[in-house]
């Protein structure tokens, strides 16, 4: 498996991020030729940054002093009683916050507003459906008034027969079957971080800002039961010192544990009741982000001096999220930083070297299950680019990469082909790092690997650009030897305009059904904004 385990209804999210290679870790044994230790054979391409959000190159961990100054410049203002923390503690005086069940206020955060809204658009989109094309099951339009700068969308999270998403100050749940809205829960302030996956029993924990200014710290936690839309416990992150930044938050769910990572530490909470399990660990090394799913991998900073400039020493660790105990450690070469986890089983790590370097460098490392070095991809003359979720600091939410024990699949950078942009998928041997084969996308379309299933790599195919002969998107498959693309689920060409307009989409596929969700909502006027499609479901 190359990504978190499949969710009921629509399956696992697409997976992680970009590369040009060299090994910032240990050189592999054996006679196979490899690039020189620690130095990629050529500079990295830069992944395109999503509009209105942070870029796709991972967190910058360089000038800590500048970040701290920015954090300290803000004033923490929290309304009395807003977070229902015992004793009114706002977490800023060094005391540990105690989570408790939310009361039932008359303002956002209490009982969800319930309603049944129709799923508009599906009938119209199906009118032009041709033989062999799947039907549009349902369409959900925005319906949430977001700020003029637009709003990021998080999710989808699938819990039983509910698919949920968060946008601006609202979390909403919809029927997997027909898209009708089952519940809508207003939030007290903007959400600023969320895990990629929910818990197995359908719960998620969001990080919210301290107030409604949009500039305050991201230090409030809110548990939500996605099956009912009801808010559960809340907590406030403890700021442990002046260097503890609360603006870059990475969240992950592993079993009944949610971890909340930031610049100098990670805190873990039990999802069921909000109990704080662990925080800052002994020693100089602290995790700042974990991956969701069955194999929790952590990105770890090692700083002897909390105020030191430059990239700290970094480690990849497999950790027990309930205790913070380290299972194994892989040391990253000095000067490199962990950019993304492309896979957790087997471990595949994307690394970057941006600081004090004339040109940014990018490397990918294959690890064994025990954290020892296995191999690295040898890219040849190809340029690669992987697209990641709009905004956020999670290290497990990109598209364009998939892997199993034998093969690593990576998408190339889009390039002009007969006047239109297209790309290709390249397969690497996980034992040697050598390229096995390359398969181009259909003309004027883009392919993105999702995951490996039953020996085949599943891929998302974007629809072609607008025009008289526009072609729909869909889910495709390739066997372990490459060859011709096999259609798994053809999205109708009649829905290509709606599907192609979904900016920075998240993709889910399972059991003959797919779900496309927009990564960001925004438009020039309120009417257009409210009418934008945010989710489209396909399948018979």
């Amino acid at each position: 498996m190359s990504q978190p385990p499949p969710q009921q209804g629509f399956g696992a999210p697409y997976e992680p991020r970009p590369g040009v290679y060299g090994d910032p870790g240990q050189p592999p044994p054996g006679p196979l030729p490899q690039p020189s230790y620690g130095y990629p054979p050529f500079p990295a391409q830069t992944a395109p940054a999503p509009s209105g959000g942070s870029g796709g190159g991972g967190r910058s961990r360089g000038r800590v002093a500048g970040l701290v100054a920015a954090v300290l410049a803000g004033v923490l203002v929290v309304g009395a009683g807003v977070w229902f923390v015992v004793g009114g503690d706002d977490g800023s005086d060094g005391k540990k916050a105690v989570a408790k069940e939310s009361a039932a206020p008359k303002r956002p955060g209490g009982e969800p507003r319930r309603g049944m809204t129709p799923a508009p658009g599906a009938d119209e989109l199906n009118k032009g459906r041709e033989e062999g094309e799947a039907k549009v099951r349902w369409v959900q339009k925005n319906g949430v008034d977001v700020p003029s700068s637009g709003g990021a969308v998080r999710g989808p999270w699938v819990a039983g027969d509910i698919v949920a998403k968060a946008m601006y100050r609202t979390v909403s749940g919809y029927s997997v079957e027909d898209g009708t809205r089952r519940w809508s829960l207003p939030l007290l302030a903007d959400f600023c971080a969320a895990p990629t996956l929910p818990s197995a029993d359908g719960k998620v924990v969001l990080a919210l800002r301290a107030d409604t200014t949009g500039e305050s710290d991201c230090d409030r936690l809110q548990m939500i039961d996605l099956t009912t839309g009801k808010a559960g416990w809340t907590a406030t992150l403890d700021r442990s010192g002046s260097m503890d930044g609360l603006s870059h938050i990475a969240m992950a769910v592993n079993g009944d544990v949610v971890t909340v990572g930031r610049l100098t530490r990670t805190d873990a909470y039990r999802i069921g009741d909000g109990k704080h399990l662990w925080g800052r660990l002994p020693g100089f090394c602290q995790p700042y982000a974990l991956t969701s799913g069955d194999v929790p991998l952590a990105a770890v900073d090692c700083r002897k001096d909390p105020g030191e400039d430059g990239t700290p020493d970094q480690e990849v660790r497999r950790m027990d999220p309930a205790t913070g105990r380290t299972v194994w450690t892989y040391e990253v070469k000095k000067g490199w930083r962990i950019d993304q986890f492309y896979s957790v089983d087997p471990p595949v790590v994307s690394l970057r070297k941006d600081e004090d370097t004339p040109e940014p460098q990018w490397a990918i490392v294959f690890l064994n299950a025990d954290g020892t070095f296995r191999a690295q991809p040898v890219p040849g003359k190809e340029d690669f680019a992987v697209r990641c979720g709009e905004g956020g600091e999670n290290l497990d939410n990109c598209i364009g990469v998939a892997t199993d024990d034998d093969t690593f699949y990576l998408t190339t950078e889009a390039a002009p082909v007969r006047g239109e942009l297209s790309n290709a998928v390249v397969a690497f041997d996980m034992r040697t790092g050598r390229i096995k084969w390359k398969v181009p996308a259909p003309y004027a379309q883009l392919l993105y690997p999702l995951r490996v299933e039953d020996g085949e790599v599943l891929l998302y195919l974007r629809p072609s650009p607008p025009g008289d002969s526009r072609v729909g998107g869909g889910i495709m498959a390739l066997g372990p030897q490459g060859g011709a693309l096999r259609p798994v689920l053809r999205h109708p060409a009649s829905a290509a305009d709606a599907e192609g307009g979904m900016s920075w989409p998240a993709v889910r596929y399972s059991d003959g059904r797919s779900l496309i969700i927009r990564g960001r909502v925004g438009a020039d006027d309120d009417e257009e904004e409210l009418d934008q499609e945010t989710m489209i479901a396909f399948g018979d």
Side-chain angles (χ1 to χ4, degrees):
M1 290 289 292
S2 66
Q3 54 276 312
Q7 303 174 44
Q8 181 178 355
F10 285 104
Y14 56 48
E15 255 228 349
R17 205 168 191 116
V20 173
Y21 318 107
D23 172 29
Q26 305 300 319
L32 291 170
Q34 299 286 342
S36 301
Y37 172 78
Y39 300 96
F42 50 87
Q45 278 68 51
T46 302
S51 59
S54 60
R59 70 180 60 201
S60 173
R61 320 199 72 79
R63 299 277 176 184
V64 179
L67 175 59
V68 171
V71 170
L72 296 181
V75 179
L76 183 63
V77 179
V78 183
V82 167
W83 291 101
F84 312 105
V85 177
V86 173
D89 175 28
D90 66 1
S92 61
D93 60 359
K95 298 178 182 178
K96 183 178 293 186
V98 179
K100 63 181 291 186
E101 195 75 15
S102 299
K106 296 179 181 179
R107 56 183 300 175
E111 287 297 309
R113 295 191 306 263
R114 293 194 172 271
M116 298 292 286
T117 57
D123 290 342
E124 291 80 0
L125 295 177
N126 282 323
K127 287 179 179 178
R129 186 164 65 102
E130 297 182 359
E131 185 177 355
E133 295 180 334
K135 72 178 182 181
V136 178
R137 293 186 62 83
W138 51 266
V139 177
Q140 261 298 334
K141 295 192 176 181
N142 172 23
V144 176
D145 187 15
V146 300
S148 58
S149 59
V153 181
R154 292 292 178 268
W157 302 291
V158 179
D161 62 350
I162 296 291
V163 55
K165 64 180 177 68
M167 184 171 62
Y168 190 40
R169 298 173 185 171
T170 306
V171 185
S172 301
Y174 304 86
S175 165
V176 166
E177 286 299 315
D178 59 18
T180 54
R181 193 182 70 193
R182 295 287 185 83
W183 53 262
S184 181
L185 179 68
L187 302 173
L188 292 164
D190 301 352
F191 76 86
C192 40
T196 306
L197 296 179
S199 65
D201 61 351
K203 295 182 175 64
V204 72
V205 179
L206 303 184
L208 310 182
R209 298 199 180 277
D211 56 46
T212 58
T213 64
E215 303 295 331
S216 56
D217 286 339
C218 185
D219 66 352
R220 304 307 199 242
L221 302 180
Q222 174 69 70
M223 188 272 276
I224 299 169
D225 187 335
L226 300 176
T227 63
T228 64
K230 293 184 178 180
W233 55 265
T234 63
T236 303
L237 293 174
D238 173 35
R239 172 173 283 168
S240 58
S242 61
M243 300 300 296
D244 191 1
L246 289 169
S247 57
H248 293 74
I249 301 295
M251 302 183 71
V253 166
N254 309 98
D256 191 35
V257 177
V258 60
T259 50
V260 188
R262 67 254 203 204
L263 190 63
T264 59
R265 64 181 284 175
T266 289
D267 285 274
Y269 295 82
R270 192 160 59 205
I271 297 174
D273 58 11
K275 180 182 178 181
H276 186 266
L277 300 175
W278 54 273
R280 186 171 178 85
L281 300 175
F284 298 119
C285 296
Q286 301 296 322
Y288 61 85
L290 276 76
T291 60
S292 291
D294 292 337
V295 182
L297 301 183
V300 178
D301 271 351
C302 296
R303 297 177 187 268
K304 292 185 178 180
D305 178 5
E308 70 178 83
D309 275 350
T311 302
D313 293 341
Q314 293 207 336
E315 298 175 349
V316 175
R317 295 185 183 182
R318 179 167 179 175
M319 300 185 70
D320 178 352
T323 64
R325 181 180 65 87
T326 296
V327 179
W328 53 253
T329 299
Y330 172 81
E331 294 183 0
V332 175
K333 190 179 189 311
K334 190 172 182 62
W336 292 79
R337 62 177 174 82
I338 298 163
D339 172 60
Q340 188 72 211
F341 292 103
Y342 287 162
S343 171
V344 297
D345 183 17
V348 177
V349 189
S350 169
L351 301 144
R352 294 275 181 170
K353 188 175 186 180
D354 296 339
E355 296 166 7
D356 303 322
T357 303
E359 295 184 67
Q361 296 177 326
W362 179 24
I364 293 178
V365 176
F366 302 157
L367 302 180
N368 294 305
D370 62 358
T372 56
F373 180 85
R374 183 181 184 187
Q376 65 186 75
V378 182
K381 297 181 180 180
E382 299 290 348
D383 292 337
F384 297 93
V386 183
R387 300 185 66 174
C388 298
E390 196 279 337
E393 294 293 323
N394 293 351
L395 302 187
D396 59 358
N397 62 345
C398 301
I399 184 171
V401 178
T403 188
D404 59 14
D405 286 337
D406 301 316
T407 309
F408 174 65
Y409 302 92
L410 188 62
T411 186
T412 67
E413 189 172 30
V417 177
R418 303 198 307 276
E420 296 288 353
L421 289 177
S422 270
N423 68 351
V425 173
V426 176
F428 294 86
D429 190 311
M430 288 287 287
R431 297 176 299 105
T432 67
R434 291 174 172 170
I435 292 177
K436 298 168 66 174
W437 47 259
K438 174 182 174 181
V439 173
Y443 173 69
Q445 293 186 267
L446 299 172
L447 274 173
Y448 296 97
L450 302 177
R451 67 179 184 270
V452 179
E453 186 174 282
D454 297 330
E456 293 185 313
V457 59
L458 297 178
L459 310 104
Y460 173 54
L461 178 66
R462 290 281 283 170
S464 64
D468 294 339
S469 58
R470 189 159 201 189
V471 179
I475 306 299
M476 311 295 283
L478 282 169
Q481 305 305 318
L485 287 164
R486 180 176 67 84
V488 175
L489 185 71
R490 289 187 181 274
H491 297 169
S494 56
D497 286 343
E499 182 182 354
M502 305 281 271
S503 59
W504 287 86
V507 181
R508 304 289 188 268
Y509 172 76
S510 181
D511 297 328
R513 296 182 182 180
S514 63
L515 177 69
I516 316 296
I517 178 170
R518 182 186 293 269
R520 188 171 187 83
V521 167
D524 293 334
D525 60 71
D526 287 346
E527 184 177 358
E528 181 183 353
E529 172 187 283
L530 293 171
D531 198 47
Q532 283 185 334
E533 297 95 344
T534 54
M535 293 192 292
I536 305 179
F538 300 91
D540 297 324

